Amino acid sequence: MKQKIPPSEVTPEELYNSRRQFMKSTLQVTAASLFVTSCNKKSSSLADITATTATIGVPQGNSLTDELGNALTDYQNIIEYTNFYEFATSKIGPAKLTKNFKTDPWSIQVGGLINNPQTFDLDSIRKEFAQEERIYRMRCVEGWSMVIPWLGFPLHKLLNIVGPKSDAKFVRFETIFDSDQMPGQKSPIYPWPYVEGLRMDEAMHDLTILATGIYGKDLTPQNGAPIRLVVPWKYGFKSIKSLVKIDLVETMPVSLWMAVRPDEYGFYANVNPNVHHPRWSQSTERRIGGSDRVNSMLLNGYQDEVASLYQGMDLTVNY
Ligand SMILES: Nc1nc2c(c(=O)[nH]1)N[C@H]1C(S)=C(S)[C@@H](COP(=O)(O)O)O[C@H]1N2
Ligand SMILES: [Mo]
């Protein structure tokens, strides 16, 4: 007899994977019937149908790995082991301390060197920008990594709407400042709010996304709800959380980490196993949830996509 699993026993990933499996089979059926109706004069072999299916927008990989075959990190690990200094400097603190963090209503003010300055509220962002799933490896500077199925959209979609002026050379990002809600912001050690920056071409790159979800669900507060940046070829700290402000600027922004420790953290922060942090090696990393350490990859394995952005630059100087 088949036993029904009680809902309390079903983990979010199982729910997510079964839903994806369902979506995938729906797509296959649709593709098959499309094929049969539009090409009913030809004989439709199974191979033909499979070929048609492959071109339909099924998420990359076999749905449980990234395109290099790395397994997705468990949802539980992604939401429990986080970095969010506005709440705590430990990895397990934010998951507890963000419980009452208010993320609704929320808006992002976009300004600086653009033709159409405007404030987007989160609901309009969700409506206006089609959300797609992208599986990215996320690499933290202290030598750990995760493989996360993000839900989001390319930042360039939003930037194209506001119309960057020709003198805009960089994008500056800012996290919310609200020390009543974020106890870590009472610490004078850090120059709050958290600030990050990208060069214009990095910001316009298709891999650079604004994310609103993980595993098909809304972001948890500890992961940067309701909206955060994700730049998969850079160290984790570039992927700034809980964004409220984006400005296009002419000069290179000074990030929070550049301000605090300029000798340790540069503007670029591209993952590079050959350029070490002054206090630790960056050649290997621990996959959270996995056992062995793995070798870190130049540009986090996204070389084909982004190496051209840094042609002719000395990456040991521009770290
Ligand atoms: N505002 C803000 N954004 C932040 C941080 C932070 O402390 N505050 N930590 C960064 C660091 S160091 C990392 S590794 C990633 C971690 O993202 P995750 O906790 O969702 O895995 O968020 C980055 N974004
Ligand atoms: Mo990090």
Side-chain angles (χ1 to χ4, degrees), residues 172 188-197 237-238 252-268 319:
R172 182 183 179 280
I189 298 173
Y190 300 99
W192 308 108
Y194 198 101
V195 166
E196 262 306 338
F237 63 86
K238 296 297 284 186
M252 184 182 281
V254 177
S255 70
L256 176 137
W257 292 110
M258 289 164 76
V260 175
R261 289 186 178 270
D263 50 328
E264 299 191 358
Y265 302 104
F267 176 79
Y268 285 95
Y319 57 88

Side-chain angles (χ1 to χ4, degrees), residues 107-172:
S107 56
I108 298 187
Q109 189 191 327
V110 187
L113 302 168
I114 54 176
N115 293 316
N116 315 302
Q118 54 190 294
T119 299
F120 295 87
D121 63 64
L122 200 75
D123 295 334
S124 75
I125 284 182
R126 286 189 201 277
K127 277 196 210 100
E128 206 158 338
F129 304 97
Q131 310 270 309
E132 30 177 307
E133 182 175 72
R134 297 189 174 200
I135 299 172
Y136 287 156
R137 292 175 296 285
M138 174 95 159
R139 171 88 154 84
C140 185
V141 76
E142 298 94 356
W144 50 276
S145 59
M146 294 186 178
V147 182
I148 303 178
W150 298 101
L151 208 60
F153 60 91
L155 173 63
H156 62 67
K157 285 195 187 180
L158 185 141
L159 294 181
N160 284 335
I161 286 183
V162 298
K165 293 185 174 164
S166 60
D167 48 352
K169 301 282 185 289
F170 295 91
V171 184
R172 182 183 179 280

Side-chain angles (χ1 to χ4, degrees), residues 78 81-86 88 138-142 144 146 148 150 175 182 192 194 214 222-224 228 235-242 257:
I78 298 174
Y81 193 87
T82 66
N83 249 348
F84 207 163
Y85 276 48
E86 283 85 338
M138 174 95 159
R139 171 88 154 84
C140 185
V141 76
E142 298 94 356
W144 50 276
M146 294 186 178
I148 303 178
W150 298 101
T175 294
M182 300 170 130
W192 308 108
Y194 198 101
I214 290 175
Q222 63 269 31
N223 288 115
R228 70 176 293 174
Y235 288 115
F237 63 86
K238 296 297 284 186
S239 294
I240 180 172
K241 296 177 170 181
S242 305
W257 292 110

